C-alpha cells in the first residue's frame, strides 16, 4: 500500500494526541502538514520498503514533535512561550525538520542507482542543514524579542546565549572566508591597510577578524564582549571533540599557522576519498558506505588506510590510539576522521615547536603581530643552527632578507622560517 495509506491505517494521525499537544500547538502544526510529509515520503520511495519507512517516519515524528513542544514553551533566548511571528517561525522550523526523513529516503533510493549522485546530495544536505537551522533560530529569537513587552529601551543582555557546535563551526567558516577575502584584497591592493579599529588583537590576525565578524551583529561594546566570551567558551567546550575547533583556537593563540585550516580540509577530503575507495563502487559499494556511516567502519579497513598514509612509527601510534575508540570491531566514521586529523595537528605542533616558543618570547604586545624589531629578534633565535658552516653568516643573511618586512603574524613567520624549521626537524 502507499505509505500515506499505511500511516493512516496504522493510526499515525488519529494517535497524534498521544504527544500531549496543547490545543494552541495543534492549531499551529496542522494535520495537513503531516499529510504533506507523508505524501512526499511516499513519492520519494516509489513503493519500496514501505513498512520500514513507515516505522522510520513514526520515530522521526515523535522526536520532532517533542522538540517542537519544548521550543514553543520557550527557551533561553525567548521571553516565555513563543507568540506571534516567533511561534510561526518555530512551526516552519518544525515542518522543515520533518522533511529530513524524506531526504533520507531519497538518499537511500539514489544510492542504489547512482552512488556519486547520492553522495553529492548527502553532502549538500549536510551543508545546508545547519545553515537553515541557524537562520530559523535567529528568526525565532528576533521575533520573540520584538514581540516581548518592554518598559525601557532594549539593551543588550550582559551574557550572550550559549553557542552550539554547528553555530561555532559556521562562525569559524565565516572568519576564514573573511581572511581569504582580506588576503585577496591585499594581493590586488598591496598598499591597502589590513584592517580598521573594530577588533581586538592586531589588524591582519585571525583574532581581529573574529571580533570584526562579531561586531557586525553587536549593538554595543558590551554585547560584543559577551559574544566573544561565548565564542571562547564554545571553543573550549568543543575543541576536545572537533579538531576543526581546536585548530581554530590554536591559530587564535599563535600556536598554529592559518594554513593549517585549509590543510585540515584537504585531509578530511583525503580520508573520505580513501574510505569511499575501500567501500567500492556500484550498488554494493553504496550499501557498504551507508552501513559504515551508520554502524562504523571495520577496524581492518581503518588499519589499511592508516598504513597507507603513515610510516610504521606513526601508523603504530595511531593504531594504538584506535583501540581506545573501538566499538566491537568497528570505529565510528567521524571518530576515525577526528583521530587522524588530531594526530596530524599534533605532528604539526611538534614541527613548529621552536617557532611557537620563540614567537611568544618576542611577541611583547601579545597581539599576535611582530614589528620589525621583534621579527629580527625572532630571526636571531631561529636562524642559526649549531651545525652550520658559518652560523653568523647564515643569521646575517636571514636578517638582511627581513629588512623590508615591517610586520609579521605567526602565520607569516611560519612561512618565513619554514626552511629553518625543516633543517631543525631533519636534525632532530
Amino acid at each position: 500500500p502507499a505509505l500515506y495509506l499505511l500511516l493512516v491505517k496504522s493510526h499515525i494521525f488519529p494517535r497524534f494526541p498521544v504527544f500531549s499537544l496543547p490545543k494552541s500547538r495543534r492549531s499551529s502544526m496542522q494535520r495537513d502538514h503531516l499529510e504533506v510529509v507523508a505524501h512526499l515520503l511516499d513519492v520519494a520511495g516509489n513503493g519500496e520498503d514501505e513498512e520500514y519507512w513507515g516505522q522510520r517516519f513514526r520515530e522521526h515524528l515523535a522526536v520532532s514533535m517533542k522538540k517542537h513542544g519544548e521550543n514553543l514553551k520557550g527557551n533561553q533566548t525567548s521571553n516565555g512561550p513563543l507568540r506571534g511571528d516567533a511561534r510561526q517561525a518555530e512551526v516552519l522550523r518544525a515542518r522543515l525538520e520533518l522533511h529530513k526523513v524524506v531526504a533520507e529516503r531519497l538518499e537511500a533510493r539514489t544510492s542504489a542507482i547512482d552512488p556519486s549522485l547520492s553522495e553529492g546530495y548527502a553532502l549538500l544536505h549536510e551543508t545546508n542543514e545547519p545553515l537553515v537551522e541557524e537562520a530559523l533560530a535567529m528568526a525565532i529569537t528576533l521575533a520573540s524579542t520584538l514581540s516581548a513587552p518592554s518598559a525601557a529601551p532594549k539593551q543588550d543582555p550582559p551574557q550572550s546565549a550559549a553557542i552550539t557546535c554547528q553555530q561555532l563551526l559556521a562562525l569559524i567558516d565565516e572568519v576564514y572566508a573573511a581572511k581569504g577575502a582580506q588576503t585577496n584584497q591585499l594581493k590586488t591592493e598591496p598598499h591597502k591597510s589590513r584592517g580598521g579599529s573594530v577588533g581586538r588583537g592586531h589588524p591582519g590576525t585571525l583574532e581581529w577578524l573574529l571580533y570584526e565578524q562579531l561586531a557586525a551583529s553587536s549593538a554595543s561594546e558590551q554585547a560584543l564582549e559577551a559574544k566573544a566570551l561565548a565564542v571562547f567558551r564554545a571553543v573550549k567546550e568543543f575543541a576536545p571533540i572537533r579538531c576543526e575547533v581546536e585548530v581554530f583556537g590554536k591559530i587564535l593563540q599563535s600556536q598554529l599557522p592559518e594554513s593549517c585550516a585549509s590543510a585540515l580540509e584537504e585531509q578530511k577530503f583525503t580520508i573520505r576519498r580513501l574510505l569511499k575507495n575501500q567501500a567500492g563502487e556500484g550498488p554494493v559499494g553504496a550499501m557498504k558506505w551507508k552501513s559504515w556511516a551508520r554502524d562504523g567502519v571495520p577496524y581492518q579497513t581503518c588499519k589499511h588506510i592508516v598504513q597507507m598514509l603513515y610510516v610504521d612509527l606513526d601508523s603504530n601510534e595511531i593504531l594504538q590510539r584506535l583501540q581506545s575508540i573501538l566499538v566491537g570491531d568497528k570505529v565510528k566514521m567521524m571518530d576515525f576522521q577526528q583521530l587522524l586529523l588530531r594526530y596530524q595537528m599534533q605532528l604539526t605542533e611538534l614541527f613548529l615547536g621552536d617557532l611557537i616558543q620563540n614567537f611568544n618570547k618576542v611577541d611583547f604586545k601579545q597581539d599576535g603581530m611582530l614589528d620589525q624589531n621583534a621579527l629580527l629578534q625572532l630571526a636571531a633565535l631561529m636562524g642559526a643552527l649549531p651545525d652550520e658552516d658559518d652560523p653568523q653568516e647564515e643569521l646575517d643573511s636571514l636578517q638582511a632578507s627581513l629588512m623590508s618586512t615591517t610586520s609579521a603574524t605567526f602565520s607569516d613567520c611560519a612561512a618565513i622560517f619554514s626552511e629553518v624549521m625543516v633543517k631543525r626537524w631533519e636534525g632532530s
Side-chain angles (χ1 to χ4, degrees):
L3 179 62
Y4 171 71
L5 294 177
L6 177 65
L7 292 172
V8 172
K9 289 178 180 178
S10 61
H11 306 293
I12 269 290
F13 299 138
R15 289 176 57 210
F16 191 55
V18 79
F19 298 105
S20 302
L21 303 179
K23 291 182 180 179
S24 59
R25 179 149 45 111
R26 271 184 259 168
S27 64
S28 298
M29 179 63 75
Q30 301 285 343
R31 169 173 169 154
D32 61 343
H33 296 157
L34 303 180
E35 291 177 352
V36 167
V37 179
H39 177 66
L40 288 173
L41 197 59
D42 190 21
V43 174
N46 198 28
E48 299 177 357
D49 300 325
E50 297 291 353
E51 291 188 9
Y52 168 79
W53 287 105
Q55 178 61 29
R56 178 72 187 94
F57 180 80
R58 285 188 284 272
E59 294 171 353
H60 183 64
L61 177 63
V63 173
S64 299
M65 294 310 299
K66 179 181 179 182
K67 179 179 178 181
H68 181 53
E70 292 172 349
N71 288 349
L72 286 176
K73 292 176 183 177
N75 51 44
Q76 60 184 341
T77 62
S78 65
N79 298 282
L82 299 183
R83 297 181 177 86
D85 291 341
R87 187 183 188 85
Q88 184 59 30
E90 165 55 27
V91 172
L92 293 174
R93 187 210 62 77
R95 290 177 64 185
L96 280 172
E97 185 170 32
L98 288 176
H99 290 175
K100 290 181 183 179
V101 71
V102 180
E104 287 181 21
R105 194 171 195 187
L106 281 173
E107 182 187 347
R109 183 179 171 189
T110 56
S111 66
I113 302 171
D114 188 336
S116 62
L117 175 63
S118 177
E119 181 182 2
Y121 178 80
L123 284 173
L124 177 62
H125 179 69
E126 291 172 7
T127 303
N128 285 345
E129 183 178 338
L131 301 179
V132 173
E133 288 184 353
E134 183 176 0
L136 283 170
M138 291 174 66
I140 293 169
T141 301
L142 177 60
S144 178
T145 302
L146 292 176
S147 63
S150 178
K154 178 183 176 294
Q155 295 183 349
D156 289 303
Q159 290 187 345
S160 186
I163 298 176
T164 67
C165 188
Q166 287 295 343
Q167 289 172 330
L168 179 59
L169 290 171
L171 175 62
I172 290 172
D173 287 341
E174 290 175 6
V175 175
Y176 287 153
K179 180 63 180 181
Q182 184 192 67
T183 301
N184 291 334
Q185 186 179 42
L186 287 172
K187 288 179 180 178
T188 57
E189 303 176 64
H191 301 296
K192 190 175 182 67
S193 171
R194 289 208 206 200
S197 59
V198 175
R200 302 298 185 273
H202 194 286
T205 64
L206 212 63
E207 180 187 10
W208 187 91
L209 287 167
L210 169 62
Y211 271 93
E212 189 176 55
Q213 289 294 116
L214 297 177
S217 60
S218 300
S220 67
E221 183 76 12
Q222 181 187 25
L224 174 59
E225 292 297 340
K227 288 180 180 180
L229 182 59
V231 169
F232 296 139
R233 285 174 176 167
V235 169
K236 184 177 181 180
E237 177 182 358
F238 297 117
I241 59 175
R242 290 300 294 260
C243 189
E244 299 93 325
V245 175
E246 186 169 5
V247 166
F248 179 72
K250 289 180 180 292
I251 293 174
L252 292 178
Q253 297 171 335
S254 297
Q255 295 180 10
L256 285 175
E258 292 160 12
S259 59
C260 283
S262 57
L264 182 142
E265 291 303 315
E266 292 177 7
Q267 291 156 19
K268 287 165 66 174
F269 176 80
T270 298
I271 295 168
R272 185 180 180 87
R273 177 177 56 80
L274 292 175
L275 283 168
K276 292 288 289 186
N277 290 344
Q278 291 299 307
E281 300 179 352
V284 174
M287 291 179 62
K288 185 181 292 186
W289 176 261
K290 188 174 181 180
S291 172
W292 289 359
R294 183 184 64 245
D295 305 323
V297 183
Y299 171 77
Q300 290 301 323
T301 300
C302 296
K303 179 179 179 180
H304 179 69
I305 290 175
V306 169
Q307 291 175 335
M308 288 174 60
L309 291 172
Y310 293 94
V311 297
D312 289 346
L313 180 65
D314 292 316
S315 64
N316 289 338
E317 173 62 26
I318 294 172
L319 292 176
Q320 185 175 350
R321 298 185 185 187
L322 204 59
Q323 296 294 325
S324 64
I325 58 173
L326 273 176
V327 180
D329 63 342
K330 295 180 179 179
V331 180
K332 291 292 183 182
M333 192 178 289
M334 177 61 77
D335 292 344
F336 179 57
Q337 179 198 77
Q338 290 294 312
L339 186 147
L340 293 183
L341 294 178
R342 200 171 302 279
Y343 187 80
Q344 191 64 37
M345 179 197 72
Q346 291 167 353
L347 282 182
T348 305
E349 285 183 289
L350 285 174
F351 176 76
L352 296 169
D354 288 340
L355 178 63
I356 295 170
Q357 181 179 0
N358 292 325
F359 183 93
N360 289 326
K361 286 181 180 179
V362 298
D363 184 17
F364 305 114
K365 298 178 182 178
Q366 295 294 302
D367 63 356
M369 181 74 75
L370 303 185
D371 58 22
Q372 188 178 74
N373 181 55
L375 186 58
L376 293 175
Q377 291 183 56
L378 179 61
L381 294 171
M382 294 290 299
L385 294 175
D387 58 349
E388 293 285 353
D389 293 335
D390 191 341
Q392 188 59 47
E393 182 180 349
E394 290 288 332
L395 175 58
D396 292 343
S397 174
L398 179 59
Q399 290 182 323
S401 69
L402 297 175
M403 294 307 296
S404 61
T405 305
T406 58
S407 62
T409 64
F410 180 81
S411 298
D412 296 330
C413 292
I416 292 170
F417 297 103
S418 59
E419 185 176 345
V420 174
M421 289 186 291
V422 169
K423 292 179 179 179
R424 287 176 178 271
W425 183 263
E426 291 175 346
S428 62

